[in-house]
Amino acid sequence: MTNVIQTQVIDSGILAIAREAMAEGVVKTGAVIENYSGAVSMVFDVRDINGSVITKWWGLDGKEAKGIKAERALFANTLMDRDPKFIKSTNAEGKRTPTATVDTYWQRVKIASGYVPKGKVSGGTDVDAKTASELKTMINRIVDAEENGKDCHASVILDSLKEAYVVLTGEAYNANK
């Protein structure tokens, strides 16, 4: 049986400071998002008795997610209070709806906490895959030009591009793939 320590008593001090800093420096990503993400993780990650994370805050649901949902609302309200450009609309009762930009910033906070968006690959492999795809496009363009009898200066680097493709994919370039 694993003992679980859950911190439902919210340390609003650290969150408030980090949230305000995030709203203040919202156009500056990087360190500000990392700091806020760290504060959110400290408060909402579910940990075992040894302090190891059992569930990240963005993976919580149901009653366990009540605190993070409240923090998300505070985050949105802080941004909307700071700058009206974050307000999409206001209804007759005065309830404000945040813009999609607020969702984008919240997504960045989640990603800084280790969340991997659906359809994305974590780590460096997505950069390599994209680079390999772009190399293949360049190689195909040069090969097509040569086959059509066009003189192009890029023909000089064709072999180098094919070698780079092999390095990234582990496979020789194949025009039919």
Side-chain angles (χ1 to χ4, degrees):
M1 183 168 133
T2 303
N3 291 324
V4 176
I5 298 175
Q6 199 159 3
T7 56
Q8 285 301 335
V9 177
I10 298 172
D11 183 355
S12 60
I14 192 168
L15 282 172
I17 292 166
R19 187 182 328 105
E20 286 295 323
M22 174 73 186
E24 186 68 35
V26 77
V27 293
K28 303 173 199 157
T29 55
V32 177
I33 289 175
E34 291 286 333
N35 289 340
Y36 180 58
S37 171
V40 171
S41 293
M42 254 194 299
V43 174
F44 293 108
D45 283 356
V46 178
R47 299 176 185 278
D48 66 17
I49 197 159
N50 298 317
S52 299
V53 175
I54 297 171
T55 307
K56 293 295 290 176
W57 61 268
W58 38 262
L60 299 174
D61 57 1
K63 290 192 289 187
E64 291 180 331
K66 186 177 179 182
I68 195 61
K69 287 179 181 178
E71 178 58 28
R72 166 69 173 84
L74 287 169
F75 173 82
N77 284 324
T78 301
L79 289 177
M80 291 186 292
D81 290 346
R82 179 89 48 207
D83 194 332
K85 75 178 180 186
F86 294 115
I87 302 171
K88 179 179 180 180
S89 62
T90 306
N91 69 11
E93 291 85 39
K95 185 175 187 256
R96 303 175 299 178
T97 302
T99 63
T101 305
V102 174
D103 294 333
T104 300
Y105 286 124
W106 187 251
Q107 183 75 351
R108 290 178 183 170
V109 171
K110 286 172 63 175
I111 290 168
S113 293
Y115 177 78
V116 177
K118 290 176 178 58
K120 299 276 183 172
V121 178
S122 65
T125 55
D126 60 328
V127 172
D128 291 343
K130 185 174 181 178
T131 303
S133 174
E134 291 168 353
L135 276 171
K136 188 167 185 174
T137 300
M138 289 186 283
I139 293 167
N140 287 338
R141 188 179 304 123
I142 296 166
V143 169
D144 288 345
E146 289 177 344
E147 288 175 353
N148 292 325
K150 295 181 182 175
D151 184 32
C152 62
H153 297 292
S155 294
V156 176
I157 63 166
L158 182 58
D159 288 335
S160 296
L161 293 173
K162 287 181 178 180
E163 287 175 27
Y165 184 82
V166 170
V167 169
L168 290 174
T169 65
E171 301 174 358
Y173 167 76
N174 181 349
N176 296 325
K177 278 181 121 181

